Amino acid sequence: MRALIVTAVAAEADSVAAGLTPHPDPVTPEPRTLPGGYLITRRDLPGLAADVLVGGVGPAAAAAATATALALADYSLVISAGIGGGFAPAAPLGSLVVADALVAADLGAETPEGFLPVQELGFGRSVHLPPAELAARAAEATGALLAPVLTVSTVTGSASRAAEIAARHPLAGAEAMEGFGVAEAAAAHGLPVLEVRAVSNAVGPRDRAAWRIGDALAALTAGFRALGPVLVNWGERHERHEHHEHG
């Protein structure tokens, strides 16, 4: 199976690639550049070829980078991966969250009665669903919380904003900035999507001193080390199913 794994920044891509590096391979993979200046690193494991893409911060950048990569190669699965904020107490610092829904939490309109998601305005969508079995198996293998991951264009930085967004999405496990953009590009190519987030900070008032970015990046590496066999198994079953349908 060939998977495209989209991260926002190089540190996230390096952490994912480290998890997909056959142990004890000490070689740091050299990225190559795609049109648009996007960096992509190839990792090969038995049964899994993974391209790890540095796509930039925010849903628009992530969508553009993902669409570029998908136009240049054939993939079976697209994964949005990186660090993000966790909703306490369900997703503590250093933990992992696997999305059972990728939600554009601030795509819509403010009204006197409150926020309306874009589909309630009569157009578009604000939720993408990953393959349910794949998400559940990924969460089980990595010890992650299985919950919605919210995509925002502005990171939550106050208690009032955190309370507002938690009230609208009470089951949410994490907040990040790219997942929905990645999912939109994947959907345009007819591909399934998954999102994996390692929690570096709590959703709420910004307190950089309390952030644990190093711990989150380490959790991302460990998570993708555990996720590899799940992806291989899912890819083999997906390919057998497609072969049976077209056989």
Side-chain angles (χ1 to χ4, degrees):
M1 186 184 74
R2 188 171 186 180
L4 176 67
I5 304 169
V6 186
T7 66
V9 297
E12 294 170 334
D14 290 345
S15 296
V16 170
L20 296 173
T21 298
H23 188 73
D25 183 357
V27 177
T28 300
E30 290 294 330
R32 59 189 176 87
T33 303
L34 299 184
Y38 308 115
L39 296 178
I40 194 165
T41 297
R42 179 72 177 266
R43 304 306 294 147
D44 289 300
L45 288 81
L48 174 65
D51 290 339
V52 186
L53 174 68
V54 181
V57 175
T66 304
T68 298
L70 294 179
L72 297 174
D74 292 326
Y75 294 95
S76 304
L77 175 69
V78 182
I79 303 174
S80 177
I83 64 176
F87 286 90
L93 301 187
S95 68
L96 290 173
V97 180
V98 170
D100 61 8
L102 290 76
V103 182
D106 54 9
L107 181 62
E110 293 288 349
T111 75
E113 291 75 33
F115 178 82
L116 285 180
V118 68
Q119 66 268 18
E120 293 187 25
L121 298 173
F123 53 89
R125 60 188 164 190
S126 62
V127 179
H128 285 278
L129 300 178
E133 182 184 3
L134 175 60
R137 289 182 179 273
E140 180 181 9
T142 60
L145 172 69
L146 182 64
V149 174
L150 309 184
T151 299
V152 294
S153 295
T154 301
V155 171
T156 300
S158 68
S160 60
R161 170 67 171 168
E164 175 191 345
I165 203 165
R168 291 208 309 264
H169 304 280
L171 300 179
E175 172 190 276
M177 300 182 75
E178 292 80 33
F180 185 81
V182 172
E184 282 284 278
H189 285 262
L191 294 173
V193 68
L194 188 68
E195 184 167 11
V196 180
R197 290 288 162 183
V199 177
S200 60
N201 58 281
V203 174
R206 286 177 68 82
D207 179 9
R208 290 298 297 267
W211 289 14
R212 297 293 180 267
I213 292 177
D215 292 345
L217 292 174
L220 199 61
T221 296
F224 270 87
R225 188 168 291 128
L227 189 59
V230 175
L231 299 179
V232 171
N233 181 265
W234 184 83
E236 290 174 347
R237 294 176 61 191
H238 183 72
E239 288 173 3
R240 284 200 299 269
H241 178 72
E242 283 195 337
H243 179 74
H244 176 75
E245 281 193 339
H246 296 97

